[in-house]
Amino acid sequence: MSGLVSQAIYRSSLLLAVVLGLSACSADTGELQAWMDDTRRNTQPVRDVIPAPKSFEPFRYENAGSLEPFAPAKLMVALDRAAQNKAKGGLSPDLNRRREALENFPTDAIRMVGHLASGKQVYALLQVNSLVYQARVGNYVGQNHGKVIRVTEEEIILKELVQDAAGEWTEKDTSLRLQEAKSEKK
């Protein structure tokens, strides 16, 4: 019987705790309500005037007689101009030659890390990522049809062919200087 009494006391004390907890939630909210009313009264609504949309005037394309930018006729004009430049002895890269390994990388990704001399032949050691390649005078380096014209102990000189805005090929000299090895700190 004492078990039933203790269980009844436990249930009644639990019920009393819940009732007291809920009564605490219903505290006076008059101060909060007064603040909300005051804020509503003193806050002015935003009344921005939205301007009327501008009238749209459609553009009429009147260039129907000229060549379309991707028309085959326009391509033929460009090919004719390139053939005329080549016939005049103008600069153009040899697109029929076999590409070399170092032509797959831009020149700013290639580092000169050393040089070798074997008899009269001088080689530059060029590094791309973790691979080292040999290049000598006459080899091609870089993506701009760069031909090696001189190799010294300190640098390698390239003559690159680049296209200008008009599509004409121009020569540009570029050099890759020897990169000093970074010393390891112990």
Side-chain angles (χ1 to χ4, degrees), residues 61-130:
Y61 187 69
E62 299 286 339
N63 236 352
S66 67
L67 288 175
E68 292 183 23
F70 302 106
K74 187 162 186 143
L75 179 62
M76 294 306 293
V77 169
L79 289 174
D80 288 342
R81 187 181 328 136
Q84 288 173 359
N85 286 340
K86 195 167 192 171
K88 292 179 188 175
L91 292 174
S92 67
D94 183 11
L95 300 176
N96 295 325
R97 69 173 174 77
R98 186 176 183 169
R99 292 181 57 91
E100 298 181 21
L102 286 170
E103 289 185 272
N104 295 320
F105 307 102
T107 52
D108 59 351
I110 301 172
R111 293 180 32 204
M112 181 177 174
V113 293
H115 78 284
L116 292 173
S118 174
K120 293 183 181 181
Q121 194 63 260
V122 179
Y123 295 92
L125 298 176
L126 303 176
Q127 182 180 12
V128 179
N129 299 329
S130 61

Side-chain angles (χ1 to χ4, degrees), residues 143-161:
Q143 294 176 334
N144 289 330
H145 310 285
K147 188 174 185 178
V148 178
I149 58 171
R150 190 169 81 215
V151 177
T152 66
E153 292 181 11
E154 294 86 27
E155 69 181 348
I156 180 172
I157 310 268
L158 307 170
K159 184 145 316 255
E160 294 182 317
L161 288 176

